[in-house]
Amino acid sequence: AQKVTQAQTEISVVEKEDVTLDCVYETRDTTYYLFWYKQPPSGELVFLIRRNSFDEQNEISGRYSWNFQKSTSSFNFTITASQVVDSAVYFCALSGSTDSWGKLQFGAGTQVVVTP
Amino acid sequence: DVKVTQSSRYLVKRTGEKVFLECVQDMDHENMFWYRQDPGLGLRLIYFSYDVKMKEKGDIPEGYSVSREKKERFSLILESASTNQTSMYLCASSPNHEEKLFFGSGTQLSVL
């Protein structure tokens, strides 16, 4: 069975501070896909990034960056210089390729609150 | 622009009622999903479908059934609604299991 753990339930920061969201996953698949989604107060989930298990290259996209480490089964997400519009719930998710095929498993989510 | 449409944003039903939640996607996606979202639990998969008339149980299928008669439409059915089914229900679709999901805006169901 696969599992995604987001240990942080809520993170509160002041605008312009950096925020790092932790995600630890478990899977028996050798090929799998990891995702981050954002859910703003409006409710609709927005896709942020996808990584497959063979691509450990970390990436920076604007103020967002991701750190994928297979050795520790972690896929952490950082917002640099946070803004009020970053306030949302962020979900890490895992999709396997064999017995868990098609089942996108989500973590419990981390609420990010950015205050001016 | 791609679209996943859920028929109702808010729904109030009584215990024991049969409830239909409808979801339509306009992207010709193979896969469609129903999740429920509860505080502190994240999104939990109820059912998914990878083809017309095909369905697979997710992690919490008890008390629910689904129907996919056409590729674009995936319905979630609560045969006899109970108060513990009060939740936010999210529908999603994707072209395949490797790709991102596109989500609808959700249906907040209250069972009284």
Side-chain angles (χ1 to χ4, degrees), chain B residues 95-109:
Chain B
N96 56 63
H97 75 286
E98 300 178 4
E99 299 296 329
K100 66 182 180 182
L101 268 60
F102 294 84
F103 282 87
S105 53
T107 295
Q108 179 63 54
L109 172 67

Side-chain angles (χ1 to χ4, degrees), chain A residues 33 35 37 39 41-47 50 89 91 95-97 101-109, chain B residues 9 31 33 35 37 40-43 45 48 50 57-59 88 90 97-105:
Chain A
Y33 303 86
F35 301 78
Y37 285 84
Q39 186 178 41
S42 61
E44 193 162 324
L45 274 88
V46 175
F47 166 79
R50 181 192 77 141
V89 181
F91 292 96
S95 177
S97 57
W101 182 91
K103 294 184 179 183
L104 190 62
Q105 188 82 35
F106 283 82
Chain B
R9 186 73 177 93
N31 298 344
F33 305 80
Y35 287 88
Q37 182 178 8
L41 297 177
L43 279 72
L45 182 62
F48 68 102
Y50 52 88
K57 292 181 180 179
D59 298 317
M88 170 67 80
L90 294 167
H97 75 286
E98 300 178 4
E99 299 296 329
K100 66 182 180 182
L101 268 60
F102 294 84
F103 282 87
S105 53

Side-chain angles (χ1 to χ4, degrees), chain A residues 41-97:
Chain A
S42 61
E44 193 162 324
L45 274 88
V46 175
F47 166 79
L48 295 177
I49 190 172
R50 181 192 77 141
R51 272 289 174 270
N52 70 52
S53 51
F54 298 107
D55 180 7
E56 287 192 74
Q57 181 178 352
N58 294 313
E59 180 178 321
I60 297 174
S61 176
R63 296 186 298 106
Y64 296 161
S65 62
W66 294 268
N67 186 352
F68 175 29
Q69 294 193 346
K70 281 180 78 170
S71 60
T72 56
S73 297
S74 64
F75 185 46
N76 297 338
F77 169 52
T78 297
I79 306 170
T80 303
S82 60
Q83 300 175 1
V84 173
V85 293
D86 296 325
S87 296
V89 181
Y90 291 82
F91 292 96
C92 181
L94 166 68
S95 177
S97 57

Side-chain angles (χ1 to χ4, degrees), chain B residues 10-108:
Chain B
Y10 298 97
L11 210 52
V12 180
K13 295 292 181 181
R14 296 221 174 265
T15 302
E17 279 193 75
K18 189 168 186 176
V19 182
F20 292 87
L21 302 183
E22 304 289 345
C23 175
V24 177
Q25 51 99 358
D26 65 0
M27 296 163 281
D28 201 37
H29 284 171
E30 302 294 327
N31 298 344
M32 295 189 75
F33 305 80
W34 275 107
Y35 287 88
R36 65 176 281 177
Q37 182 178 8
D38 300 286
L41 297 177
L43 279 72
R44 293 180 292 166
L45 182 62
I46 305 171
Y47 269 97
F48 68 102
S49 167
Y50 52 88
D51 200 355
V52 176
K53 296 191 186 293
M54 304 300 290
K55 61 184 180 183
E56 292 284 341
K57 292 181 180 179
D59 298 317
I60 51 165
E62 296 78 21
Y64 304 95
S65 62
V66 290
S67 172
R68 193 164 181 204
E69 296 296 320
K70 294 184 178 181
K71 191 175 186 179
E72 67 270 18
R73 186 179 296 270
F74 193 35
S75 303
L76 180 69
I77 304 156
L78 287 66
E79 294 290 342
S80 178
S82 63
T83 55
N84 63 12
Q85 292 178 309
T86 291
S87 185
M88 170 67 80
Y89 290 87
L90 294 167
C91 176
S93 72
S94 72
N96 56 63
H97 75 286
E98 300 178 4
E99 299 296 329
K100 66 182 180 182
L101 268 60
F102 294 84
F103 282 87
S105 53
T107 295
Q108 179 63 54

